[in-house]
Amino acid sequence: MRFIPTKVHGILDYIVGVALIIAPWLFGFASVGGAAVIIPIVLGVGLIVYSLFTKYEWGPFGFIPMPVHLVFDVVASLFLALSPWIFGFADEAMNVWLPHVVVGAAVIVVVIFSQPQPAQVRTREMRV
């Protein structure tokens, strides 16, 4: 069931991180300001930072175990998806709140299908 390797998950982490940072301009809601704009930017930067510190193929400073990284992903994604209602911008135009919900839900789906350990760790564990 978990068919997304950590190598692919890592690439997606950096792509989604950058996409979150530029989302307010990409989807045309930067002028709304407030939480609608700040939340994706902060979560995008946060995603890139904790990805840099994750123990997987794309984490040069790896000390965060991949299962912990996946928990961070779920918590941040739930917060992102629910933020339009938490912060009261769900009544704005669809281009303001929908990216938050779609990206949040999509990342949760990716987590569900992501392998919890890099391939070299799984191989070592099988040999022991």
Side-chain angles (χ1 to χ4, degrees), residues 2 44 80 103 120:
R2 292 182 168 251
L80 180 65
V103 173
Q120 68 271 19

Side-chain angles (χ1 to χ4, degrees), residues 59-94:
F61 311 110
F63 66 84
I64 298 172
M66 188 61 186
V68 173
H69 172 106
L70 295 174
V71 170
F72 288 172
D73 282 349
V74 170
V75 170
S77 298
L78 282 171
F79 180 73
L80 180 65
L82 296 173
S83 66
W85 293 275
I86 294 170
F87 294 97
F89 60 90
D91 57 346
E92 295 283 344
M94 191 178 287

Side-chain angles (χ1 to χ4, degrees), residues 15-71:
I15 291 170
V16 171
V18 170
L20 284 169
I21 293 167
I22 65 170
W25 296 273
L26 185 66
F27 295 104
F29 63 86
S31 62
V32 172
V37 174
I38 294 168
I39 290 168
I41 293 171
V42 169
L43 291 179
V45 170
L47 174 56
I48 290 169
V49 169
Y50 72 79
S51 295
L52 289 169
F53 290 93
T54 297
K55 281 190 215 176
Y56 65 174
E57 296 85 352
W58 297 101
F61 311 110
F63 66 84
I64 298 172
M66 188 61 186
V68 173
H69 172 106
L70 295 174
V71 170

